[in-house]
Amino acid sequence: MILAPGACLAYENETGDIEIESGYVYFDIDGDGVDDDIFTTAGNAVIYGIEFDIDGDFYRAFSADVTGDGKDEMVVASKERGSSSSLSYKVYSMDDGRADIIFERSGIYRGTLDVEGGALIERIPVYEEGDSNAQPSMTRRDRYIYNGGDFVLQDSKEHRPVSMQSSEGYSNPARSEIEAIIEDVASEKGIPAVILKAIAWTESGMRQFSGGSPLVSFDGVSYGIMQVTPGVHTSYDLNRLKYDIRYNIEAGAAILLEKWGYAFKSSPLIPTIGDGDPRVLENWYFAIWAYNGWSQSNNPNMIPYDHATWVQREAYQDKVLGYAYSQFGQSITPVDDNDLPESGLPDKYANFSTPRPSHSEKFAQYSAGDVIACTAVSGLVLRDDGWNKIGNVSNGYVMAVVKGPQLHGGYIRYNVQVIGDDEGVGWVAMNWAKEAKSGDVDGDGRNTMDDIELIRDRMGFEYDSCDINGSGIVDSQDVAAAFYMVRNYQDANFEKWQESEKTVSENKVWTVRFSDGVDRASAVGGGIYVTDKWGETLDADVEVVGGSSVRINPHSGGYDAGTYRLCIGENLKSSSGRNIGNGTYMEFTVK
């Protein structure tokens, strides 16, 4: 009987997301129609009410007679976290509710395990120079049998896989197209593009498909160009990981960013390098190492490293840095081997000097007034000037940049004002925010109330041109962003009246007089309007009086305390049809 994967263990990171890293729930493992509810986490598995220690993340388990004594043993296998996904497994005797280890193996790089005819079958990749992690040139099948006292290797056979063309017929885009996608994703995530490219090359040869089908790792657990493992990173959609190139790259970028964050936790998991500036390529050395697995097998001082089944002749991160130069022409200086321990892992609390010469990559940069949108699924952490957490910005919410950038705690941050929230002021990490699209959705080169109306008409539509915040659906945050952009447009293109900045009562009635008669339809249809500090139009009562004057009555209940604008738009017309709106505004304050 085989147990297969399910979902959930977590921790909090800079975004406030609860990252599902590992852990699995299983149901009805014996096929009796009853949910047995097996729960496993990294380092632990409870099966039939018995606790088993595992080395890493649960992979699979078998209940089978592998000793020939007529009773089933329990074989429990696990995978090391990271793209190396090394296999470990233990065979337990199951007597009187006790589980005793009778055989175990570990460090089987990307290995798989099956039970066939009472034997343990390991399948192992055999790599040649230039192979990607996903596709070795050779494979080996090792068969272990029980001889009455121990499990012994009965036979071992190598073969070269035959390339088969799938009827699915998928093909990879041109390399330039894939590189462009990686560059775009890297820019959004605040990751040096050359590092993301070099990892993609190391993992898959920068391919999403092989033989017409999605590229699947030798051990069948990782998918696509970035070799993402959904059994560990369970929040990702398997079908999209297989077929959606951008989605796969975005998942890989998010995982790499997660590894980068390991160094900046209150209890770090990897060392820091230099000042932690992510724009410096050399500072990513340990995060790249962790992408493959934070394992001593990637310590250059232990290379060649003898795994249980093969000899690793190059540390993963050094291989990535090599491809950065050979494939993309970018030199990246590695951490000096002399600064690393002779064996084991570097001290996770250590700070290493940035290797010299160092190299850097420019990141996207925002200016005051730019509108950005939160992309973190469960919200982006908002911090005060002392870098204390003061709240979360919800996914899809739009923010106006106030100042920045500033480096702190491993992230490039901007001070922002959450649009529509007077209290929502603070610093956010740029890695989980992206520039909002233009609010000029009608394409006339202006941000006006006409754009607002178009967006409102498209509310609820998916993947629409009016989706300014890029959330996938047109929603209220798109409207809020568009209002703010209208206000920015006014700042840049409207003339401010000299008598601005008056303080008035909450029930102030404004009267604007014109030399010509005023077209009523254009006046009440958005030619004259009042906005709040966010640019949102208020429900004021606009009426034409005496032919050439316009009266603006406050909305029901009057104005709340705050700053407002009385605007004369560019679409206001005279009664003869002549355009008399030249874009002006007056600011006033209600206390």
Side-chain angles (χ1 to χ4, degrees), residues 280-293:
V280 178
L281 305 182
E282 283 71 17
N283 291 350
W284 287 82
Y285 186 81
F286 293 122
I288 299 169
W289 181 333
Y291 190 91
N292 183 245

PDB file of all heavy atoms in Angstrom, residues 280-293:
ATOM      1  N   VAL A 280      23.416  43.676  -4.861  1.00  0.00           N
ATOM      2  CA  VAL A 280      24.785  43.183  -5.011  1.00  0.00           C
ATOM      3  C   VAL A 280      24.733  41.679  -5.262  1.00  0.00           C
ATOM      4  O   VAL A 280      24.247  40.905  -4.423  1.00  0.00           O
ATOM      5  CB  VAL A 280      25.622  43.498  -3.760  1.00  0.00           C
ATOM      6  CG1 VAL A 280      27.037  42.925  -3.909  1.00  0.00           C
ATOM      7  CG2 VAL A 280      25.677  45.006  -3.527  1.00  0.00           C
ATOM      8  N   LEU A 281      25.207  41.247  -6.416  1.00  0.00           N
ATOM      9  CA  LEU A 281      25.052  39.855  -6.840  1.00  0.00           C
ATOM     10  C   LEU A 281      25.729  38.894  -5.870  1.00  0.00           C
ATOM     11  O   LEU A 281      25.214  37.804  -5.585  1.00  0.00           O
ATOM     12  CB  LEU A 281      25.627  39.673  -8.246  1.00  0.00           C
ATOM     13  CG  LEU A 281      25.079  40.612  -9.335  1.00  0.00           C
ATOM     14  CD1 LEU A 281      25.695  40.274 -10.686  1.00  0.00           C
ATOM     15  CD2 LEU A 281      23.561  40.547  -9.406  1.00  0.00           C
ATOM     16  N   GLU A 282      26.891  39.265  -5.378  1.00  0.00           N
ATOM     17  CA  GLU A 282      27.647  38.376  -4.496  1.00  0.00           C
ATOM     18  C   GLU A 282      26.903  38.087  -3.191  1.00  0.00           C
ATOM     19  O   GLU A 282      27.131  37.046  -2.560  1.00  0.00           O
ATOM     20  CB  GLU A 282      29.022  38.998  -4.177  1.00  0.00           C
ATOM     21  CG  GLU A 282      30.049  38.890  -5.282  1.00  0.00           C
ATOM     22  CD  GLU A 282      29.769  39.767  -6.494  1.00  0.00           C
ATOM     23  OE1 GLU A 282      28.959  40.716  -6.379  1.00  0.00           O
ATOM     24  OE2 GLU A 282      30.375  39.519  -7.558  1.00  0.00           O
ATOM     25  N   ASN A 283      26.003  38.975  -2.782  1.00  0.00           N
ATOM     26  CA  ASN A 283      25.284  38.791  -1.521  1.00  0.00           C
ATOM     27  C   ASN A 283      24.252  37.669  -1.579  1.00  0.00           C
ATOM     28  O   ASN A 283      23.686  37.289  -0.548  1.00  0.00           O
ATOM     29  CB  ASN A 283      24.600  40.097  -1.108  1.00  0.00           C
ATOM     30  CG  ASN A 283      25.587  41.162  -0.690  1.00  0.00           C
ATOM     31  OD1 ASN A 283      26.782  40.883  -0.519  1.00  0.00           O
ATOM     32  ND2 ASN A 283      25.115  42.393  -0.521  1.00  0.00           N
ATOM     33  N   TRP A 284      23.993  37.120  -2.784  1.00  0.00           N
ATOM     34  CA  TRP A 284      23.007  36.050  -2.953  1.00  0.00           C
ATOM     35  C   TRP A 284      23.610  34.648  -2.814  1.00  0.00           C
ATOM     36  O   TRP A 284      22.895  33.651  -2.980  1.00  0.00           O
ATOM     37  CB  TRP A 284      22.330  36.185  -4.320  1.00  0.00           C
ATOM     38  CG  TRP A 284      21.367  37.321  -4.385  1.00  0.00           C
ATOM     39  CD1 TRP A 284      21.651  38.640  -4.611  1.00  0.00           C
ATOM     40  CD2 TRP A 284      19.950  37.249  -4.202  1.00  0.00           C
ATOM     41  NE1 TRP A 284      20.506  39.393  -4.590  1.00  0.00           N
ATOM     42  CE2 TRP A 284      19.437  38.565  -4.340  1.00  0.00           C
ATOM     43  CE3 TRP A 284      19.061  36.214  -3.952  1.00  0.00           C
ATOM     44  CZ2 TRP A 284      18.084  38.857  -4.221  1.00  0.00           C
ATOM     45  CZ3 TRP A 284      17.709  36.494  -3.833  1.00  0.00           C
ATOM     46  CH2 TRP A 284      17.234  37.803  -3.971  1.00  0.00           C
ATOM     47  N   TYR A 285      24.886  34.531  -2.521  1.00  0.00           N
ATOM     48  CA  TYR A 285      25.582  33.235  -2.548  1.00  0.00           C
ATOM     49  C   TYR A 285      24.870  32.175  -1.703  1.00  0.00           C
ATOM     50  O   TYR A 285      24.603  31.063  -2.175  1.00  0.00           O
ATOM     51  CB  TYR A 285      27.013  33.432  -2.060  1.00  0.00           C
ATOM     52  CG  TYR A 285      27.899  32.214  -2.174  1.00  0.00           C
ATOM     53  CD1 TYR A 285      28.503  31.881  -3.379  1.00  0.00           C
ATOM     54  CD2 TYR A 285      28.134  31.401  -1.064  1.00  0.00           C
ATOM     55  CE1 TYR A 285      29.325  30.774  -3.487  1.00  0.00           C
ATOM     56  CE2 TYR A 285      28.955  30.286  -1.160  1.00  0.00           C
ATOM     57  CZ  TYR A 285      29.554  29.981  -2.371  1.00  0.00           C
ATOM     58  OH  TYR A 285      30.363  28.878  -2.463  1.00  0.00           O
ATOM     59  N   PHE A 286      24.537  32.500  -0.462  1.00  0.00           N
ATOM     60  CA  PHE A 286      23.938  31.501   0.420  1.00  0.00           C
ATOM     61  C   PHE A 286      22.466  31.251   0.075  1.00  0.00           C
ATOM     62  O   PHE A 286      21.966  30.142   0.283  1.00  0.00           O
ATOM     63  CB  PHE A 286      24.085  31.908   1.880  1.00  0.00           C
ATOM     64  CG  PHE A 286      25.515  31.905   2.361  1.00  0.00           C
ATOM     65  CD1 PHE A 286      26.089  33.051   2.885  1.00  0.00           C
ATOM     66  CD2 PHE A 286      26.292  30.759   2.265  1.00  0.00           C
ATOM     67  CE1 PHE A 286      27.409  33.055   3.323  1.00  0.00           C
ATOM     68  CE2 PHE A 286      27.620  30.750   2.693  1.00  0.00           C
ATOM     69  CZ  PHE A 286      28.175  31.893   3.224  1.00  0.00           C
ATOM     70  N   ALA A 287      21.763  32.254  -0.443  1.00  0.00           N
ATOM     71  CA  ALA A 287      20.375  32.041  -0.866  1.00  0.00           C
ATOM     72  C   ALA A 287      20.318  31.080  -2.052  1.00  0.00           C
ATOM     73  O   ALA A 287      19.430  30.224  -2.138  1.00  0.00           O
ATOM     74  CB  ALA A 287      19.726  33.377  -1.228  1.00  0.00           C
ATOM     75  N   ILE A 288      21.281  31.211  -2.986  1.00  0.00           N
ATOM     76  CA  ILE A 288      21.358  30.278  -4.117  1.00  0.00           C
ATOM     77  C   ILE A 288      21.658  28.880  -3.602  1.00  0.00           C
ATOM     78  O   ILE A 288      21.047  27.884  -4.043  1.00  0.00           O
ATOM     79  CB  ILE A 288      22.430  30.729  -5.124  1.00  0.00           C
ATOM     80  CG1 ILE A 288      22.092  32.105  -5.699  1.00  0.00           C
ATOM     81  CG2 ILE A 288      22.579  29.715  -6.252  1.00  0.00           C
ATOM     82  CD1 ILE A 288      23.229  32.724  -6.504  1.00  0.00           C
ATOM     83  N   TRP A 289      22.587  28.762  -2.695  1.00  0.00           N
ATOM     84  CA  TRP A 289      22.912  27.481  -2.052  1.00  0.00           C
ATOM     85  C   TRP A 289      21.630  26.858  -1.490  1.00  0.00           C
ATOM     86  O   TRP A 289      21.337  25.683  -1.720  1.00  0.00           O
ATOM     87  CB  TRP A 289      23.930  27.763  -0.953  1.00  0.00           C
ATOM     88  CG  TRP A 289      24.455  26.616  -0.143  1.00  0.00           C
ATOM     89  CD1 TRP A 289      23.845  25.421   0.131  1.00  0.00           C
ATOM     90  CD2 TRP A 289      25.722  26.567   0.539  1.00  0.00           C
ATOM     91  NE1 TRP A 289      24.627  24.651   0.946  1.00  0.00           N
ATOM     92  CE2 TRP A 289      25.784  25.329   1.214  1.00  0.00           C
ATOM     93  CE3 TRP A 289      26.769  27.468   0.665  1.00  0.00           C
ATOM     94  CZ2 TRP A 289      26.898  24.964   1.999  1.00  0.00           C
ATOM     95  CZ3 TRP A 289      27.864  27.106   1.442  1.00  0.00           C
ATOM     96  CH2 TRP A 289      27.935  25.864   2.097  1.00  0.00           C
ATOM     97  N   ALA A 290      20.849  27.642  -0.743  1.00  0.00           N
ATOM     98  CA  ALA A 290      19.640  27.134  -0.098  1.00  0.00           C
ATOM     99  C   ALA A 290      18.552  26.760  -1.093  1.00  0.00           C
ATOM    100  O   ALA A 290      17.691  25.931  -0.784  1.00  0.00           O
ATOM    101  CB  ALA A 290      19.108  28.179   0.888  1.00  0.00           C
ATOM    102  N   TYR A 291      18.545  27.367  -2.285  1.00  0.00           N
ATOM    103  CA  TYR A 291      17.543  27.000  -3.294  1.00  0.00           C
ATOM    104  C   TYR A 291      17.643  25.508  -3.619  1.00  0.00           C
ATOM    105  O   TYR A 291      16.641  24.826  -3.827  1.00  0.00           O
ATOM    106  CB  TYR A 291      17.744  27.829  -4.560  1.00  0.00           C
ATOM    107  CG  TYR A 291      16.614  27.683  -5.574  1.00  0.00           C
ATOM    108  CD1 TYR A 291      15.529  28.540  -5.545  1.00  0.00           C
ATOM    109  CD2 TYR A 291      16.635  26.694  -6.555  1.00  0.00           C
ATOM    110  CE1 TYR A 291      14.484  28.426  -6.451  1.00  0.00           C
ATOM    111  CE2 TYR A 291      15.602  26.568  -7.473  1.00  0.00           C
ATOM    112  CZ  TYR A 291      14.518  27.430  -7.412  1.00  0.00           C
ATOM    113  OH  TYR A 291      13.484  27.294  -8.324  1.00  0.00           O
ATOM    114  N   ASN A 292      18.866  25.005  -3.656  1.00  0.00           N
ATOM    115  CA  ASN A 292      19.085  23.584  -3.923  1.00  0.00           C
ATOM    116  C   ASN A 292      18.936  22.740  -2.668  1.00  0.00           C
ATOM    117  O   ASN A 292      18.668  21.546  -2.745  1.00  0.00           O
ATOM    118  CB  ASN A 292      20.483  23.399  -4.517  1.00  0.00           C
ATOM    119  CG  ASN A 292      20.798  21.972  -4.916  1.00  0.00           C
ATOM    120  OD1 ASN A 292      21.678  21.343  -4.335  1.00  0.00           O
ATOM    121  ND2 ASN A 292      20.078  21.439  -5.885  1.00  0.00           N
ATOM    122  N   GLY A 293      19.085  23.351  -1.510  1.00  0.00           N
ATOM    123  CA  GLY A 293      19.022  22.659  -0.229  1.00  0.00           C
ATOM    124  C   GLY A 293      20.180  23.116   0.650  1.00  0.00           C
ATOM    125  O   GLY A 293      21.339  23.064   0.225  1.00  0.00           O
TER     126      GLY A 293
END
